[in-house]
Amino acid sequence: MNTQTILKAFVDKAVISDEQAVLIADYEKNKSFSLHWELRSILYLGIVLFSSGIGVIIYENIDTIGHQVIIALIAALTGWCFFYTYKHALPYSNGQVKNPKKLADYILLLGCTTFLILEGYLQFQYNVFGTRYGLAVIIPTIIFFFCAYRFDHKGVLSMALTGLASWLGLTVAPLSVLAENDFTEDRLLATAVILGTVLCIAGWASEKQHIKKHFSFTYIFLGGNLAVLAAITGILSDNAELIYIIAGLALSAFFIQRARFAQSLLFLLMGIVYGYIIITYLIFSNIESDDASFTFGTFYFLFTSLGVVYFLLHFKKFLGIKK
Amino acid sequence: MKKAYNETWIDNLHILNTADHWSEKKLISQEQLESARNAFPQQFYRPGIFVKIGLFIFTLIACSFASGFVSLFLIGNGAGENISVISLICMAGFIFFLEFLIKKNGLYHSGVDNALLYAAMGAAVVPFVSLFDNLEVWQYCIIMFAFAFTATLRYADMVTATSAFLLLFGLLGNIMMKFPVGKAILPFAVMALSAVIYSLVRKDKSTYYERCTKLIEILSLATFYLGGNYLIVREGNALLNDLNLPFAPQIPFAPLFYVFTLSIPVVYIFFGLRKKDRILLILGLVAFALSVYTYRHYFSPFTPAQELAIAGMAMIMLSAALIKYLHTPKHGLSDEQEGKRKLANLEAILVAQHLGQTPVEGNNVEFGGGNFGGGGAGETY
């Protein structure tokens, strides 16, 4: 199967004319080899490595280098990044803004990162914020929210959400929700569920109101993950309160509902897996004897998993997705 | 070997993907794309990656509880023979459902068939392990390789292809380790086997095995490089000879391995660019990074942090310079955006996960360092 055979098949089936086939063959022969994603990946990785390296160097030499020099350097870099972004920014719109300047997105990301380094450094050295840690976190969060909307950048939006969560003492990073959050505290658990739900609503609202529709994925993914995992933790802990059960199931249903709009089938998967875990736990926590739950479990898992497979094989029909 | 999936559909799928690509480039009109869809129909059930994952997980759960269900009746005293009988029955059942669902639901690597195939493969291996538990490693390798290779021929599955590949290398390594001279020439043997495999899979041009051959290409190029990499050879040599020294001793033929470590990435990148072969190019880039790491592992004047900063700076400057340079295509290379990144959403989140941790505590600030994952490694094939 190469271009030639495909073109021949197209001409035979009268999909395209002979002249067009010649044109396409010509294009395929002379088309350039795009290094777009390779270069972008190297750039991204370079930014990550560079910022980590510089961070560690500063951390190690914090007493030997003149502090003002470092602060001036970082501040200059940050200032330049924001200036560049501002200079090349396009006017705000509620839709998606594609910046023709290829580097603008990355420069903004770099600026936000160096801003965090700068702030941490000021706090470390001069204790600018004293013990008002909340203030230290909420300032970049507000700035990032503003930048994310003004310059249309999903990465900066998730940085803002991370900041918002850590202001409340949580982490929303998808891979460390369970590892790094201290869910033994009831207050934090409730906070996590509430914050996650609010973020989901924000995502849903941006979809509904057509304000930066493409941000809704980030909101729902980060917030939903946090809320559901917190709710499940709440259910599994001994004081399984009804409110967590309702929240968990409602969120699972909400995910499956979101998948209908075919934003991403990731939500369908999340909804089904989380919902399955909650329902299964509720059923088995009510069976007292071990033997009964073993025998019942064999059948239960066999048939429910077959049911889920059947549902997923026909999900378009069930959810009424026409694609 | 008869192929399990409908070959005409697979060919049509390939044709339609090409047509989609052409219509993106405005080479064919929307109507022509539609008529192509009618002229080359395919009825595969291909949900997105996430539904695939869900199907895979739940099929595996179903398989494990189905085998548990069979065991309820036949487990008896749990002897090897009983286990073998159970696994054979399960295997037959899994394969039956696999074939049946492929026919009925038009599955094509859609999660369910992958899971059923792996479950069947696992069940097929169990009798050999439970009845003959004193074979040599290489004998197990041969038996499993036979299964994996057969399965790959029939189902063109990427995981079975990978396992067949790895088993082949396990076989080679295990046999070579038996002789002293074998240990010494193991790196060359690995490189030779990789080269042979690479040239063999390059010959196969069929659409049916396209994904497998690409994967095996990647793996064989990787093993070829690793077989010649100075760091791997030196540390591996110390490991194989049980030398418990604080650092691995110098190896014979060292200059030869220096040359390999330096030249292989350059050759990969050069040919990748010249033949417009993305696999070679990306592996060349990764191999280059590993070569740099190898160099700094033995001769580095800098601290890790300085290295990170320098490497990051170099990467930023290089890529920015190239992006500027390729603004207008040159030498058949361009910086044109081809297609959308499929998982751009997740990428943004992962990047933010690395960069967005706000320093909170006063004294133990972590300046965004520590853990490196794939910061947006967007490979689009």
Side-chain angles (χ1 to χ4, degrees), chain A residues 180-205:
Chain A
E180 289 182 22
N181 280 323
D182 179 21
F183 279 153
T184 47
E185 255 191 85
D186 284 348
R187 195 183 56 79
L188 264 186
L189 206 58
T191 314
V193 174
I194 292 167
L195 171 71
T197 314
V198 169
L199 290 182
C200 282
I201 292 169
W204 180 74

PDB file of all heavy atoms in Angstrom, chain A residues 180-205:
ATOM      1  N   GLU A 180      -0.554  12.578  47.536  1.00  0.00           N
ATOM      2  CA  GLU A 180      -0.077  13.741  48.266  1.00  0.00           C
ATOM      3  C   GLU A 180      -1.133  14.473  49.079  1.00  0.00           C
ATOM      4  O   GLU A 180      -0.813  15.362  49.829  1.00  0.00           O
ATOM      5  CB  GLU A 180       0.577  14.716  47.275  1.00  0.00           C
ATOM      6  CG  GLU A 180       1.900  14.175  46.758  1.00  0.00           C
ATOM      7  CD  GLU A 180       2.574  15.137  45.814  1.00  0.00           C
ATOM      8  OE1 GLU A 180       2.272  16.336  45.876  1.00  0.00           O
ATOM      9  OE2 GLU A 180       3.389  14.676  45.004  1.00  0.00           O
ATOM     10  N   ASN A 181      -2.395  14.133  48.865  1.00  0.00           N
ATOM     11  CA  ASN A 181      -3.413  14.813  49.654  1.00  0.00           C
ATOM     12  C   ASN A 181      -3.618  14.085  50.971  1.00  0.00           C
ATOM     13  O   ASN A 181      -3.668  12.857  51.014  1.00  0.00           O
ATOM     14  CB  ASN A 181      -4.739  14.858  48.897  1.00  0.00           C
ATOM     15  CG  ASN A 181      -4.743  15.954  47.866  1.00  0.00           C
ATOM     16  OD1 ASN A 181      -4.186  17.013  48.104  1.00  0.00           O
ATOM     17  ND2 ASN A 181      -5.352  15.696  46.729  1.00  0.00           N
ATOM     18  N   ASP A 182      -3.745  14.854  52.012  1.00  0.00           N
ATOM     19  CA  ASP A 182      -3.957  14.240  53.320  1.00  0.00           C
ATOM     20  C   ASP A 182      -5.450  14.104  53.548  1.00  0.00           C
ATOM     21  O   ASP A 182      -6.095  14.980  54.100  1.00  0.00           O
ATOM     22  CB  ASP A 182      -3.316  15.137  54.389  1.00  0.00           C
ATOM     23  CG  ASP A 182      -3.542  14.538  55.761  1.00  0.00           C
ATOM     24  OD1 ASP A 182      -3.811  13.330  55.828  1.00  0.00           O
ATOM     25  OD2 ASP A 182      -3.446  15.281  56.748  1.00  0.00           O
ATOM     26  N   PHE A 183      -5.994  12.953  53.080  1.00  0.00           N
ATOM     27  CA  PHE A 183      -7.437  12.789  53.163  1.00  0.00           C
ATOM     28  C   PHE A 183      -7.897  12.207  54.494  1.00  0.00           C
ATOM     29  O   PHE A 183      -9.040  11.806  54.642  1.00  0.00           O
ATOM     30  CB  PHE A 183      -7.946  11.915  52.014  1.00  0.00           C
ATOM     31  CG  PHE A 183      -8.098  12.670  50.731  1.00  0.00           C
ATOM     32  CD1 PHE A 183      -7.998  12.031  49.514  1.00  0.00           C
ATOM     33  CD2 PHE A 183      -8.337  14.036  50.743  1.00  0.00           C
ATOM     34  CE1 PHE A 183      -8.142  12.726  48.326  1.00  0.00           C
ATOM     35  CE2 PHE A 183      -8.489  14.744  49.563  1.00  0.00           C
ATOM     36  CZ  PHE A 183      -8.384  14.082  48.348  1.00  0.00           C
ATOM     37  N   THR A 184      -6.954  12.098  55.440  1.00  0.00           N
ATOM     38  CA  THR A 184      -7.401  11.579  56.730  1.00  0.00           C
ATOM     39  C   THR A 184      -8.178  12.653  57.491  1.00  0.00           C
ATOM     40  O   THR A 184      -8.935  12.358  58.394  1.00  0.00           O
ATOM     41  CB  THR A 184      -6.194  11.131  57.569  1.00  0.00           C
ATOM     42  OG1 THR A 184      -5.217  12.177  57.510  1.00  0.00           O
ATOM     43  CG2 THR A 184      -5.606   9.863  57.017  1.00  0.00           C
ATOM     44  N   GLU A 185      -7.958  13.897  57.080  1.00  0.00           N
ATOM     45  CA  GLU A 185      -8.677  14.976  57.742  1.00  0.00           C
ATOM     46  C   GLU A 185     -10.021  15.181  57.071  1.00  0.00           C
ATOM     47  O   GLU A 185     -10.086  15.399  55.864  1.00  0.00           O
ATOM     48  CB  GLU A 185      -7.862  16.267  57.624  1.00  0.00           C
ATOM     49  CG  GLU A 185      -7.159  16.679  58.892  1.00  0.00           C
ATOM     50  CD  GLU A 185      -6.620  18.074  58.742  1.00  0.00           C
ATOM     51  OE1 GLU A 185      -7.400  19.008  58.989  1.00  0.00           O
ATOM     52  OE2 GLU A 185      -5.447  18.221  58.370  1.00  0.00           O
ATOM     53  N   ASP A 186     -11.073  15.137  57.852  1.00  0.00           N
ATOM     54  CA  ASP A 186     -12.407  15.281  57.271  1.00  0.00           C
ATOM     55  C   ASP A 186     -12.580  16.634  56.590  1.00  0.00           C
ATOM     56  O   ASP A 186     -13.221  16.735  55.550  1.00  0.00           O
ATOM     57  CB  ASP A 186     -13.475  15.128  58.364  1.00  0.00           C
ATOM     58  CG  ASP A 186     -13.635  13.664  58.731  1.00  0.00           C
ATOM     59  OD1 ASP A 186     -13.082  12.844  57.964  1.00  0.00           O
ATOM     60  OD2 ASP A 186     -14.268  13.356  59.741  1.00  0.00           O
ATOM     61  N   ARG A 187     -11.972  17.663  57.195  1.00  0.00           N
ATOM     62  CA  ARG A 187     -12.168  19.002  56.654  1.00  0.00           C
ATOM     63  C   ARG A 187     -11.610  19.095  55.232  1.00  0.00           C
ATOM     64  O   ARG A 187     -12.241  19.633  54.336  1.00  0.00           O
ATOM     65  CB  ARG A 187     -11.469  20.007  57.565  1.00  0.00           C
ATOM     66  CG  ARG A 187     -11.861  21.445  57.359  1.00  0.00           C
ATOM     67  CD  ARG A 187     -11.039  22.338  58.267  1.00  0.00           C
ATOM     68  NE  ARG A 187      -9.606  22.131  58.048  1.00  0.00           N
ATOM     69  CZ  ARG A 187      -8.928  22.659  57.030  1.00  0.00           C
ATOM     70  NH1 ARG A 187      -9.565  23.391  56.148  1.00  0.00           N
ATOM     71  NH2 ARG A 187      -7.637  22.452  56.902  1.00  0.00           N
ATOM     72  N   LEU A 188     -10.403  18.506  55.056  1.00  0.00           N
ATOM     73  CA  LEU A 188      -9.784  18.547  53.739  1.00  0.00           C
ATOM     74  C   LEU A 188     -10.586  17.752  52.728  1.00  0.00           C
ATOM     75  O   LEU A 188     -10.710  18.129  51.570  1.00  0.00           O
ATOM     76  CB  LEU A 188      -8.362  17.983  53.805  1.00  0.00           C
ATOM     77  CG  LEU A 188      -7.246  18.994  53.964  1.00  0.00           C
ATOM     78  CD1 LEU A 188      -5.905  18.315  53.871  1.00  0.00           C
ATOM     79  CD2 LEU A 188      -7.354  20.055  52.880  1.00  0.00           C
ATOM     80  N   LEU A 189     -11.114  16.617  53.193  1.00  0.00           N
ATOM     81  CA  LEU A 189     -11.902  15.753  52.313  1.00  0.00           C
ATOM     82  C   LEU A 189     -13.092  16.530  51.779  1.00  0.00           C
ATOM     83  O   LEU A 189     -13.354  16.550  50.568  1.00  0.00           O
ATOM     84  CB  LEU A 189     -12.367  14.542  53.117  1.00  0.00           C
ATOM     85  CG  LEU A 189     -12.663  13.272  52.359  1.00  0.00           C
ATOM     86  CD1 LEU A 189     -11.442  12.836  51.589  1.00  0.00           C
ATOM     87  CD2 LEU A 189     -13.043  12.183  53.350  1.00  0.00           C
ATOM     88  N   ALA A 190     -13.783  17.183  52.697  1.00  0.00           N
ATOM     89  CA  ALA A 190     -14.949  17.961  52.284  1.00  0.00           C
ATOM     90  C   ALA A 190     -14.533  19.090  51.348  1.00  0.00           C
ATOM     91  O   ALA A 190     -15.170  19.327  50.316  1.00  0.00           O
ATOM     92  CB  ALA A 190     -15.655  18.524  53.512  1.00  0.00           C
ATOM     93  N   THR A 191     -13.410  19.761  51.695  1.00  0.00           N
ATOM     94  CA  THR A 191     -12.920  20.838  50.838  1.00  0.00           C
ATOM     95  C   THR A 191     -12.657  20.328  49.428  1.00  0.00           C
ATOM     96  O   THR A 191     -13.021  20.976  48.444  1.00  0.00           O
ATOM     97  CB  THR A 191     -11.601  21.411  51.392  1.00  0.00           C
ATOM     98  OG1 THR A 191     -11.744  21.610  52.783  1.00  0.00           O
ATOM     99  CG2 THR A 191     -11.250  22.704  50.706  1.00  0.00           C
ATOM    100  N   ALA A 192     -12.012  19.137  49.357  1.00  0.00           N
ATOM    101  CA  ALA A 192     -11.664  18.586  48.055  1.00  0.00           C
ATOM    102  C   ALA A 192     -12.915  18.327  47.231  1.00  0.00           C
ATOM    103  O   ALA A 192     -12.976  18.660  46.042  1.00  0.00           O
ATOM    104  CB  ALA A 192     -10.873  17.291  48.235  1.00  0.00           C
ATOM    105  N   VAL A 193     -13.925  17.724  47.861  1.00  0.00           N
ATOM    106  CA  VAL A 193     -15.152  17.429  47.124  1.00  0.00           C
ATOM    107  C   VAL A 193     -15.793  18.724  46.636  1.00  0.00           C
ATOM    108  O   VAL A 193     -16.212  18.844  45.481  1.00  0.00           O
ATOM    109  CB  VAL A 193     -16.137  16.621  47.993  1.00  0.00           C
ATOM    110  CG1 VAL A 193     -17.460  16.444  47.275  1.00  0.00           C
ATOM    111  CG2 VAL A 193     -15.548  15.273  48.320  1.00  0.00           C
ATOM    112  N   ILE A 194     -15.842  19.712  47.531  1.00  0.00           N
ATOM    113  CA  ILE A 194     -16.505  20.964  47.166  1.00  0.00           C
ATOM    114  C   ILE A 194     -15.729  21.684  46.052  1.00  0.00           C
ATOM    115  O   ILE A 194     -16.302  22.076  45.033  1.00  0.00           O
ATOM    116  CB  ILE A 194     -16.653  21.887  48.398  1.00  0.00           C
ATOM    117  CG1 ILE A 194     -17.651  21.259  49.368  1.00  0.00           C
ATOM    118  CG2 ILE A 194     -17.132  23.272  47.983  1.00  0.00           C
ATOM    119  CD1 ILE A 194     -17.659  21.881  50.732  1.00  0.00           C
ATOM    120  N   LEU A 195     -14.392  21.792  46.235  1.00  0.00           N
ATOM    121  CA  LEU A 195     -13.592  22.487  45.222  1.00  0.00           C
ATOM    122  C   LEU A 195     -13.730  21.790  43.867  1.00  0.00           C
ATOM    123  O   LEU A 195     -13.954  22.436  42.841  1.00  0.00           O
ATOM    124  CB  LEU A 195     -12.117  22.523  45.629  1.00  0.00           C
ATOM    125  CG  LEU A 195     -11.173  23.046  44.541  1.00  0.00           C
ATOM    126  CD1 LEU A 195     -11.354  24.535  44.343  1.00  0.00           C
ATOM    127  CD2 LEU A 195      -9.723  22.736  44.841  1.00  0.00           C
ATOM    128  N   GLY A 196     -13.596  20.449  43.879  1.00  0.00           N
ATOM    129  CA  GLY A 196     -13.695  19.700  42.624  1.00  0.00           C
ATOM    130  C   GLY A 196     -15.029  19.927  41.953  1.00  0.00           C
ATOM    131  O   GLY A 196     -15.112  20.130  40.740  1.00  0.00           O
ATOM    132  N   THR A 197     -16.093  19.911  42.759  1.00  0.00           N
ATOM    133  CA  THR A 197     -17.425  20.109  42.192  1.00  0.00           C
ATOM    134  C   THR A 197     -17.557  21.505  41.598  1.00  0.00           C
ATOM    135  O   THR A 197     -18.095  21.677  40.505  1.00  0.00           O
ATOM    136  CB  THR A 197     -18.492  19.907  43.282  1.00  0.00           C
ATOM    137  OG1 THR A 197     -18.163  18.709  44.000  1.00  0.00           O
ATOM    138  CG2 THR A 197     -19.863  19.753  42.675  1.00  0.00           C
ATOM    139  N   VAL A 198     -17.008  22.497  42.329  1.00  0.00           N
ATOM    140  CA  VAL A 198     -17.079  23.871  41.817  1.00  0.00           C
ATOM    141  C   VAL A 198     -16.341  23.983  40.485  1.00  0.00           C
ATOM    142  O   VAL A 198     -16.827  24.613  39.536  1.00  0.00           O
ATOM    143  CB  VAL A 198     -16.489  24.856  42.852  1.00  0.00           C
ATOM    144  CG1 VAL A 198     -16.298  26.234  42.243  1.00  0.00           C
ATOM    145  CG2 VAL A 198     -17.396  24.949  44.059  1.00  0.00           C
ATOM    146  N   LEU A 199     -15.159  23.328  40.393  1.00  0.00           N
ATOM    147  CA  LEU A 199     -14.399  23.381  39.144  1.00  0.00           C
ATOM    148  C   LEU A 199     -15.184  22.721  38.014  1.00  0.00           C
ATOM    149  O   LEU A 199     -15.187  23.200  36.879  1.00  0.00           O
ATOM    150  CB  LEU A 199     -13.043  22.696  39.309  1.00  0.00           C
ATOM    151  CG  LEU A 199     -12.035  23.407  40.199  1.00  0.00           C
ATOM    152  CD1 LEU A 199     -10.724  22.655  40.236  1.00  0.00           C
ATOM    153  CD2 LEU A 199     -11.795  24.820  39.702  1.00  0.00           C
ATOM    154  N   CYS A 200     -15.857  21.581  38.334  1.00  0.00           N
ATOM    155  CA  CYS A 200     -16.679  20.920  37.319  1.00  0.00           C
ATOM    156  C   CYS A 200     -17.763  21.863  36.819  1.00  0.00           C
ATOM    157  O   CYS A 200     -18.022  21.956  35.618  1.00  0.00           O
ATOM    158  CB  CYS A 200     -17.341  19.667  37.885  1.00  0.00           C
ATOM    159  SG  CYS A 200     -16.224  18.298  37.994  1.00  0.00           S
ATOM    160  N   ILE A 201     -18.399  22.553  37.775  1.00  0.00           N
ATOM    161  CA  ILE A 201     -19.463  23.485  37.393  1.00  0.00           C
ATOM    162  C   ILE A 201     -18.880  24.599  36.526  1.00  0.00           C
ATOM    163  O   ILE A 201     -19.475  24.996  35.516  1.00  0.00           O
ATOM    164  CB  ILE A 201     -20.148  24.061  38.653  1.00  0.00           C
ATOM    165  CG1 ILE A 201     -20.924  22.944  39.349  1.00  0.00           C
ATOM    166  CG2 ILE A 201     -21.092  25.204  38.280  1.00  0.00           C
ATOM    167  CD1 ILE A 201     -21.417  23.297  40.723  1.00  0.00           C
ATOM    168  N   ALA A 202     -17.663  25.066  36.902  1.00  0.00           N
ATOM    169  CA  ALA A 202     -17.022  26.113  36.104  1.00  0.00           C
ATOM    170  C   ALA A 202     -16.786  25.635  34.685  1.00  0.00           C
ATOM    171  O   ALA A 202     -17.029  26.357  33.710  1.00  0.00           O
ATOM    172  CB  ALA A 202     -15.704  26.531  36.749  1.00  0.00           C
ATOM    173  N   GLY A 203     -16.327  24.384  34.562  1.00  0.00           N
ATOM    174  CA  GLY A 203     -16.092  23.831  33.233  1.00  0.00           C
ATOM    175  C   GLY A 203     -17.373  23.728  32.437  1.00  0.00           C
ATOM    176  O   GLY A 203     -17.428  24.077  31.250  1.00  0.00           O
ATOM    177  N   TRP A 204     -18.419  23.267  33.130  1.00  0.00           N
ATOM    178  CA  TRP A 204     -19.716  23.099  32.475  1.00  0.00           C
ATOM    179  C   TRP A 204     -20.253  24.461  32.035  1.00  0.00           C
ATOM    180  O   TRP A 204     -20.788  24.618  30.935  1.00  0.00           O
ATOM    181  CB  TRP A 204     -20.655  22.405  33.451  1.00  0.00           C
ATOM    182  CG  TRP A 204     -22.020  22.162  32.931  1.00  0.00           C
ATOM    183  CD1 TRP A 204     -22.382  21.213  32.013  1.00  0.00           C
ATOM    184  CD2 TRP A 204     -23.218  22.852  33.296  1.00  0.00           C
ATOM    185  NE1 TRP A 204     -23.724  21.288  31.796  1.00  0.00           N
ATOM    186  CE2 TRP A 204     -24.261  22.276  32.558  1.00  0.00           C
ATOM    187  CE3 TRP A 204     -23.487  23.898  34.180  1.00  0.00           C
ATOM    188  CZ2 TRP A 204     -25.575  22.707  32.684  1.00  0.00           C
ATOM    189  CZ3 TRP A 204     -24.790  24.330  34.305  1.00  0.00           C
ATOM    190  CH2 TRP A 204     -25.825  23.746  33.563  1.00  0.00           C
ATOM    191  N   ALA A 205     -20.039  25.452  32.912  1.00  0.00           N
ATOM    192  CA  ALA A 205     -20.548  26.790  32.601  1.00  0.00           C
ATOM    193  C   ALA A 205     -19.793  27.393  31.421  1.00  0.00           C
ATOM    194  O   ALA A 205     -20.413  28.045  30.563  1.00  0.00           O
ATOM    195  CB  ALA A 205     -20.425  27.698  33.820  1.00  0.00           C
TER     196      ALA A 205
END
